[in-house]
Amino acid sequence: MTFNVLLIDDEPGALEGLALWIDWERLGFNICGTCSNGLEGLQKIVEYKPDLVITDVNMPLMDGLLMIETWQQEYPDSGVKFVVMSGYSEFEYARKALRHGINHYILKPVIGEEAEEELSRIHEELVQEKNRFNLGVIAMREEAISLIKHSLLELPLKDSGLVKLQAISSAREAWSCCLIQSEPSLMASVRETIASLSVQMEGEYVIDLEPNRIGLVYGHSASGESESSDTLRELLHRHAGQRLIASEGATEPSLLNIHRCYLTAKEAIEHKFYDTDYGGCISYREIRDQPFHYHYQISLMDDVIRSVELLDKAGFREAAAIAASAFRELWIAPGIVKKMVIHVLYKIIGLVKEAEGAEPQNLSSKYNVAGLTDGVTHLDDLIGDLIRCGEECIELLLVQQARQSQGVIQEINHYIHLHYRENLTIKRLAELFYLHPVYLGQLLIRKNGIGFSELIHNLRINEATALLKQNKLKNSEIADRVGYSHYNQFLKHFEKRWGMSPNEFKSGMF
């Protein structure tokens, strides 16, 4: 630990000898300046702010002891340590120095070894005093942080705490609160950065709040910009491009009302949800006239779920985009949007609970569903996560259906053979077997070599052919029996398959 020392002596040779005969750097000192009398010494102490002042006693204009007395009266808590130099004939001066709390002196003429021993003892004392001072500062700062946090969160304070908080508050004309929020994985780095920056600033305090969110309370002049602007700007610069957002609440004149600033900062940070990018600090002044809304159409998210159930990727993406557009247009409260998306995620993940290698808990963990309410995310990123999860679920469901289709297709064909006479459609069949109509149609083509409609008409005409051979029913009765409500439709499909009319078919038989 190195300390700055100021040398004062009216003899230039003595100053030069002190600088040359003593290894100041090895002893832990740095000579920050020199001067030749007490009046000049007072000015240099203010200018250089030394930790240690070594002064001759007998000097013109103002002697060393008067300088020390004057300084201690003006700045009783400055912490500057003094050492006097005097000869044997001036020992009475040294005794007077003791009355000013000075218990170190160096005899003149200066002997290097003796002076270094004394300076070593002084350095050790300075180190101890510095450590005690640092501990005291830390304790005072921690107490201030605790008091400010109580006021921030509107927790009760004792009368003594209120008095101390008022004293802290009086050091600045106005106070502000900034909220900083980031992803859990980034929070430790953000906390370290903001703490290291703010500790160098007076009237600035870091407050730990809920998970992934910290507060920065800082004082400034009532009309000027806040002193934290550099701190905040540096923080955002160091973490540019990362998931970090910040907001500034309304200014308050006293720390006793800092909770109002905190509430407005919380309101402001929610508006970052609809921002197009991370980074930057949003101010309550920017959003105070733009309130959120809490009413929305439930059908928006129902359409998203339904499209996954139907294994319709294009429809799913479109439904998610429509929902996102509606949220932004209606300016729905972010908390409501996140809860809706979380609900949908759990619903669509639940659809694949039987898919091999796709346990719901694995998908929930992969897309951090439980952490969406605490994390930092924008609407576009949230919908992006929803779309990625939904498309993966659709893929898993398609795989699951393909695996099950071998047994299902036989059941479907059996059902078709039993009900082809009815008004059976591919949509109705898909609903009965919980399949998407397009997927079902493709499945039937792969299995039967022909489409659903072609299969229905083939079965009907085959039965009609058998009935025509029996020659017991009229042609119209046969058409109705096999499922045609319009005779012309029966006639068209019969001629397509036999190249002749039903009458021509019967004439050729009999």
Side-chain angles (χ1 to χ4, degrees), residues 186 189-190 238-245 278-279:
L186 184 62
S189 175
V190 171
R238 293 189 188 183
H239 295 282
Q242 297 176 310
R243 288 196 171 190
L244 183 146
I245 57 178
Y278 295 99

mmCIF file with all atom_site columns, all heavy atoms in Angstrom, residues 186 189-190 238-245 278-279:
data_model
loop_
_atom_site.group_PDB
_atom_site.id
_atom_site.type_symbol
_atom_site.label_atom_id
_atom_site.label_alt_id
_atom_site.label_comp_id
_atom_site.label_asym_id
_atom_site.label_entity_id
_atom_site.label_seq_id
_atom_site.pdbx_PDB_ins_code
_atom_site.Cartn_x
_atom_site.Cartn_y
_atom_site.Cartn_z
_atom_site.occupancy
_atom_site.B_iso_or_equiv
_atom_site.pdbx_formal_charge
_atom_site.auth_seq_id
_atom_site.auth_comp_id
_atom_site.auth_asym_id
_atom_site.auth_atom_id
_atom_site.pdbx_PDB_model_num
ATOM 1   N N   . LEU A 1 186 ? -26.319 -13.782 -16.556 1.00 0.00 ? 186 LEU A N   1
ATOM 2   C CA  . LEU A 1 186 ? -25.578 -12.535 -16.714 1.00 0.00 ? 186 LEU A CA  1
ATOM 3   C C   . LEU A 1 186 ? -25.575 -11.693 -15.450 1.00 0.00 ? 186 LEU A C   1
ATOM 4   O O   . LEU A 1 186 ? -24.767 -10.768 -15.308 1.00 0.00 ? 186 LEU A O   1
ATOM 5   C CB  . LEU A 1 186 ? -26.197 -11.738 -17.877 1.00 0.00 ? 186 LEU A CB  1
ATOM 6   C CG  . LEU A 1 186 ? -25.539 -10.429 -18.307 1.00 0.00 ? 186 LEU A CG  1
ATOM 7   C CD1 . LEU A 1 186 ? -24.112 -10.689 -18.802 1.00 0.00 ? 186 LEU A CD1 1
ATOM 8   C CD2 . LEU A 1 186 ? -26.368 -9.760  -19.380 1.00 0.00 ? 186 LEU A CD2 1
ATOM 9   N N   . SER A 1 189 ? -22.296 -10.894 -13.345 1.00 0.00 ? 189 SER A N   1
ATOM 10  C CA  . SER A 1 189 ? -21.383 -9.982  -14.027 1.00 0.00 ? 189 SER A CA  1
ATOM 11  C C   . SER A 1 189 ? -21.913 -8.553  -13.985 1.00 0.00 ? 189 SER A C   1
ATOM 12  O O   . SER A 1 189 ? -21.156 -7.597  -13.766 1.00 0.00 ? 189 SER A O   1
ATOM 13  C CB  . SER A 1 189 ? -21.190 -10.421 -15.479 1.00 0.00 ? 189 SER A CB  1
ATOM 14  O OG  . SER A 1 189 ? -20.401 -9.500  -16.189 1.00 0.00 ? 189 SER A OG  1
ATOM 15  N N   . VAL A 1 190 ? -23.208 -8.391  -14.186 1.00 0.00 ? 190 VAL A N   1
ATOM 16  C CA  . VAL A 1 190 ? -23.827 -7.064  -14.132 1.00 0.00 ? 190 VAL A CA  1
ATOM 17  C C   . VAL A 1 190 ? -23.691 -6.469  -12.737 1.00 0.00 ? 190 VAL A C   1
ATOM 18  O O   . VAL A 1 190 ? -23.347 -5.292  -12.576 1.00 0.00 ? 190 VAL A O   1
ATOM 19  C CB  . VAL A 1 190 ? -25.312 -7.144  -14.543 1.00 0.00 ? 190 VAL A CB  1
ATOM 20  C CG1 . VAL A 1 190 ? -26.030 -5.827  -14.276 1.00 0.00 ? 190 VAL A CG1 1
ATOM 21  C CG2 . VAL A 1 190 ? -25.431 -7.520  -16.014 1.00 0.00 ? 190 VAL A CG2 1
ATOM 22  N N   . ARG A 1 238 ? -20.616 -1.842  -21.626 1.00 0.00 ? 238 ARG A N   1
ATOM 23  C CA  . ARG A 1 238 ? -19.887 -3.101  -21.384 1.00 0.00 ? 238 ARG A CA  1
ATOM 24  C C   . ARG A 1 238 ? -20.733 -4.316  -21.716 1.00 0.00 ? 238 ARG A C   1
ATOM 25  O O   . ARG A 1 238 ? -20.204 -5.375  -22.076 1.00 0.00 ? 238 ARG A O   1
ATOM 26  C CB  . ARG A 1 238 ? -19.435 -3.165  -19.925 1.00 0.00 ? 238 ARG A CB  1
ATOM 27  C CG  . ARG A 1 238 ? -18.373 -2.141  -19.556 1.00 0.00 ? 238 ARG A CG  1
ATOM 28  C CD  . ARG A 1 238 ? -17.838 -2.415  -18.168 1.00 0.00 ? 238 ARG A CD  1
ATOM 29  N NE  . ARG A 1 238 ? -16.953 -1.347  -17.703 1.00 0.00 ? 238 ARG A NE  1
ATOM 30  C CZ  . ARG A 1 238 ? -16.309 -1.382  -16.539 1.00 0.00 ? 238 ARG A CZ  1
ATOM 31  N NH1 . ARG A 1 238 ? -16.432 -2.429  -15.743 1.00 0.00 ? 238 ARG A NH1 1
ATOM 32  N NH2 . ARG A 1 238 ? -15.551 -0.362  -16.179 1.00 0.00 ? 238 ARG A NH2 1
ATOM 33  N N   . HIS A 1 239 ? -22.031 -4.198  -21.571 1.00 0.00 ? 239 HIS A N   1
ATOM 34  C CA  . HIS A 1 239 ? -22.912 -5.352  -21.803 1.00 0.00 ? 239 HIS A CA  1
ATOM 35  C C   . HIS A 1 239 ? -23.777 -5.148  -23.041 1.00 0.00 ? 239 HIS A C   1
ATOM 36  O O   . HIS A 1 239 ? -24.874 -5.705  -23.137 1.00 0.00 ? 239 HIS A O   1
ATOM 37  C CB  . HIS A 1 239 ? -23.790 -5.587  -20.569 1.00 0.00 ? 239 HIS A CB  1
ATOM 38  C CG  . HIS A 1 239 ? -23.018 -5.978  -19.345 1.00 0.00 ? 239 HIS A CG  1
ATOM 39  N ND1 . HIS A 1 239 ? -22.528 -7.248  -19.141 1.00 0.00 ? 239 HIS A ND1 1
ATOM 40  C CD2 . HIS A 1 239 ? -22.597 -5.237  -18.281 1.00 0.00 ? 239 HIS A CD2 1
ATOM 41  C CE1 . HIS A 1 239 ? -21.872 -7.285  -17.986 1.00 0.00 ? 239 HIS A CE1 1
ATOM 42  N NE2 . HIS A 1 239 ? -21.897 -6.079  -17.455 1.00 0.00 ? 239 HIS A NE2 1
ATOM 43  N N   . ALA A 1 240 ? -23.289 -4.371  -23.988 1.00 0.00 ? 240 ALA A N   1
ATOM 44  C CA  . ALA A 1 240 ? -24.027 -4.132  -25.236 1.00 0.00 ? 240 ALA A CA  1
ATOM 45  C C   . ALA A 1 240 ? -24.274 -5.446  -25.963 1.00 0.00 ? 240 ALA A C   1
ATOM 46  O O   . ALA A 1 240 ? -23.401 -6.302  -26.040 1.00 0.00 ? 240 ALA A O   1
ATOM 47  C CB  . ALA A 1 240 ? -23.246 -3.172  -26.130 1.00 0.00 ? 240 ALA A CB  1
ATOM 48  N N   . GLY A 1 241 ? -25.494 -5.606  -26.488 1.00 0.00 ? 241 GLY A N   1
ATOM 49  C CA  . GLY A 1 241 ? -25.833 -6.814  -27.226 1.00 0.00 ? 241 GLY A CA  1
ATOM 50  C C   . GLY A 1 241 ? -26.307 -7.958  -26.359 1.00 0.00 ? 241 GLY A C   1
ATOM 51  O O   . GLY A 1 241 ? -26.719 -8.994  -26.877 1.00 0.00 ? 241 GLY A O   1
ATOM 52  N N   . GLN A 1 242 ? -26.244 -7.794  -25.040 1.00 0.00 ? 242 GLN A N   1
ATOM 53  C CA  . GLN A 1 242 ? -26.694 -8.839  -24.131 1.00 0.00 ? 242 GLN A CA  1
ATOM 54  C C   . GLN A 1 242 ? -28.091 -8.502  -23.603 1.00 0.00 ? 242 GLN A C   1
ATOM 55  O O   . GLN A 1 242 ? -28.568 -7.374  -23.716 1.00 0.00 ? 242 GLN A O   1
ATOM 56  C CB  . GLN A 1 242 ? -25.695 -8.991  -22.975 1.00 0.00 ? 242 GLN A CB  1
ATOM 57  C CG  . GLN A 1 242 ? -24.313 -9.441  -23.433 1.00 0.00 ? 242 GLN A CG  1
ATOM 58  C CD  . GLN A 1 242 ? -23.315 -9.485  -22.286 1.00 0.00 ? 242 GLN A CD  1
ATOM 59  O OE1 . GLN A 1 242 ? -23.176 -8.536  -21.530 1.00 0.00 ? 242 GLN A OE1 1
ATOM 60  N NE2 . GLN A 1 242 ? -22.600 -10.589 -22.170 1.00 0.00 ? 242 GLN A NE2 1
ATOM 61  N N   . ARG A 1 243 ? -28.726 -9.505  -23.010 1.00 0.00 ? 243 ARG A N   1
ATOM 62  C CA  . ARG A 1 243 ? -30.091 -9.304  -22.529 1.00 0.00 ? 243 ARG A CA  1
ATOM 63  C C   . ARG A 1 243 ? -30.067 -8.537  -21.210 1.00 0.00 ? 243 ARG A C   1
ATOM 64  O O   . ARG A 1 243 ? -30.104 -9.122  -20.123 1.00 0.00 ? 243 ARG A O   1
ATOM 65  C CB  . ARG A 1 243 ? -30.803 -10.639 -22.367 1.00 0.00 ? 243 ARG A CB  1
ATOM 66  C CG  . ARG A 1 243 ? -31.161 -11.285 -23.700 1.00 0.00 ? 243 ARG A CG  1
ATOM 67  C CD  . ARG A 1 243 ? -32.178 -12.378 -23.528 1.00 0.00 ? 243 ARG A CD  1
ATOM 68  N NE  . ARG A 1 243 ? -32.685 -12.851 -24.800 1.00 0.00 ? 243 ARG A NE  1
ATOM 69  C CZ  . ARG A 1 243 ? -33.728 -13.667 -24.936 1.00 0.00 ? 243 ARG A CZ  1
ATOM 70  N NH1 . ARG A 1 243 ? -34.369 -14.079 -23.867 1.00 0.00 ? 243 ARG A NH1 1
ATOM 71  N NH2 . ARG A 1 243 ? -34.125 -14.056 -26.130 1.00 0.00 ? 243 ARG A NH2 1
ATOM 72  N N   . LEU A 1 244 ? -30.007 -7.229  -21.336 1.00 0.00 ? 244 LEU A N   1
ATOM 73  C CA  . LEU A 1 244 ? -29.982 -6.347  -20.173 1.00 0.00 ? 244 LEU A CA  1
ATOM 74  C C   . LEU A 1 244 ? -30.854 -5.140  -20.480 1.00 0.00 ? 244 LEU A C   1
ATOM 75  O O   . LEU A 1 244 ? -30.760 -4.550  -21.550 1.00 0.00 ? 244 LEU A O   1
ATOM 76  C CB  . LEU A 1 244 ? -28.551 -5.910  -19.873 1.00 0.00 ? 244 LEU A CB  1
ATOM 77  C CG  . LEU A 1 244 ? -28.352 -5.031  -18.628 1.00 0.00 ? 244 LEU A CG  1
ATOM 78  C CD1 . LEU A 1 244 ? -27.013 -5.345  -17.978 1.00 0.00 ? 244 LEU A CD1 1
ATOM 79  C CD2 . LEU A 1 244 ? -28.409 -3.557  -18.980 1.00 0.00 ? 244 LEU A CD2 1
ATOM 80  N N   . ILE A 1 245 ? -31.740 -4.791  -19.548 1.00 0.00 ? 245 ILE A N   1
ATOM 81  C CA  . ILE A 1 245 ? -32.601 -3.630  -19.717 1.00 0.00 ? 245 ILE A CA  1
ATOM 82  C C   . ILE A 1 245 ? -32.532 -2.770  -18.465 1.00 0.00 ? 245 ILE A C   1
ATOM 83  O O   . ILE A 1 245 ? -32.195 -3.252  -17.373 1.00 0.00 ? 245 ILE A O   1
ATOM 84  C CB  . ILE A 1 245 ? -34.070 -4.035  -19.997 1.00 0.00 ? 245 ILE A CB  1
ATOM 85  C CG1 . ILE A 1 245 ? -34.607 -4.930  -18.874 1.00 0.00 ? 245 ILE A CG1 1
ATOM 86  C CG2 . ILE A 1 245 ? -34.187 -4.720  -21.345 1.00 0.00 ? 245 ILE A CG2 1
ATOM 87  C CD1 . ILE A 1 245 ? -36.062 -5.317  -19.055 1.00 0.00 ? 245 ILE A CD1 1
ATOM 88  N N   . TYR A 1 278 ? -32.544 -4.755  -27.155 1.00 0.00 ? 278 TYR A N   1
ATOM 89  C CA  . TYR A 1 278 ? -32.096 -4.624  -25.781 1.00 0.00 ? 278 TYR A CA  1
ATOM 90  C C   . TYR A 1 278 ? -31.151 -3.433  -25.687 1.00 0.00 ? 278 TYR A C   1
ATOM 91  O O   . TYR A 1 278 ? -30.718 -2.878  -26.680 1.00 0.00 ? 278 TYR A O   1
ATOM 92  C CB  . TYR A 1 278 ? -31.395 -5.912  -25.326 1.00 0.00 ? 278 TYR A CB  1
ATOM 93  C CG  . TYR A 1 278 ? -32.322 -7.094  -25.285 1.00 0.00 ? 278 TYR A CG  1
ATOM 94  C CD1 . TYR A 1 278 ? -32.356 -8.006  -26.337 1.00 0.00 ? 278 TYR A CD1 1
ATOM 95  C CD2 . TYR A 1 278 ? -33.185 -7.276  -24.218 1.00 0.00 ? 278 TYR A CD2 1
ATOM 96  C CE1 . TYR A 1 278 ? -33.222 -9.082  -26.324 1.00 0.00 ? 278 TYR A CE1 1
ATOM 97  C CE2 . TYR A 1 278 ? -34.064 -8.350  -24.192 1.00 0.00 ? 278 TYR A CE2 1
ATOM 98  C CZ  . TYR A 1 278 ? -34.073 -9.249  -25.234 1.00 0.00 ? 278 TYR A CZ  1
ATOM 99  O OH  . TYR A 1 278 ? -34.937 -10.302 -25.208 1.00 0.00 ? 278 TYR A OH  1
ATOM 100 N N   . GLY A 1 279 ? -30.805 -3.059  -24.469 1.00 0.00 ? 279 GLY A N   1
ATOM 101 C CA  . GLY A 1 279 ? -29.890 -1.939  -24.277 1.00 0.00 ? 279 GLY A CA  1
ATOM 102 C C   . GLY A 1 279 ? -30.646 -0.640  -24.106 1.00 0.00 ? 279 GLY A C   1
ATOM 103 O O   . GLY A 1 279 ? -31.837 -0.522  -24.400 1.00 0.00 ? 279 GLY A O   1
#
